Amino acid sequence: SILNRCTYLAEQLGAKLIRGFTFWAEGGFSESVPLIVEKLKAAEKLLSKKDMQLVIEYDPATSAGTTQKLEIILRKVASEHIQALYDPGNNIYDPEGENPFPEGYERIKPWIKHVHVKDIVRKAASGQPEAVVLGEGEVGFPDLFVRLGRDGYEGWASLETHYRRVSAISTELLHRPGGYAFSEGGEEASIECLEAWNSIMKDKGLLT
């Protein structure tokens, strides 16, 4: 199975976390919940044996596309081996318009084991989301970084560069990333975002 393969690769890399998603967003969320919970509970035995955690990322392209929906899943699964990946940028992409911080953060805070860092803004003219340099979007990363430090977060936060200097990545590529079309311009954009990240951390006294 995919999970078996992922745990094998995680062992080779010395990793304890495996990222996962719920099903593609097809049909109603409520109708999908029992099957999602069933599949996640079925994964517990292997995860427990390997001493690993499956961290579920909420994404607008999937059934559990918001922190509200992910919270429902996590409470029903109730497993230390099924946890959450907090990606506040995804909240801005979601059409339901969930506020990523502090509301989204507070909702799944007990389960957060990994954090994705990317900043998004809704364009004034169209209302469509667009990735921007870290700190220039709607997530509120300066306050979020402070809060993570204050709450004693000890996990990783990884840069997920959806921002590009020249042209935005298409929705299709965001949902199914791959190939040169997705990677083009990523290095320059990542460097710019990392510099902005360091600047935010220094400004907030979180980096010396």
Side-chain angles (χ1 to χ4, degrees), residues 1-23:
S1 70
I2 294 175
L3 184 58
N4 273 288
R5 179 63 175 165
C6 287
T7 57
Y8 169 76
L9 291 172
E11 285 179 321
Q12 305 310 302
L13 296 169
K16 290 293 186 181
L17 301 182
I18 297 171
R19 179 178 67 155
F21 298 88
T22 53
F23 304 123

Side-chain angles (χ1 to χ4, degrees), residues 93 117-120 130-134 136 159-169 174 182-194:
Y93 277 114
V117 177
K118 63 173 180 278
D119 218 345
I120 317 295
E130 182 176 307
V132 294
V133 177
L134 190 65
E136 295 183 5
L159 180 66
E160 187 180 38
T161 316
H162 283 189
Y163 159 70
R164 294 292 185 272
R165 285 181 171 183
V166 179
S167 59
I169 302 173
L174 286 176
F182 182 83
S183 300
E184 186 177 11
E187 181 179 359
E188 298 85 354
S190 293
I191 291 171
E192 190 173 351
C193 285
L194 286 170

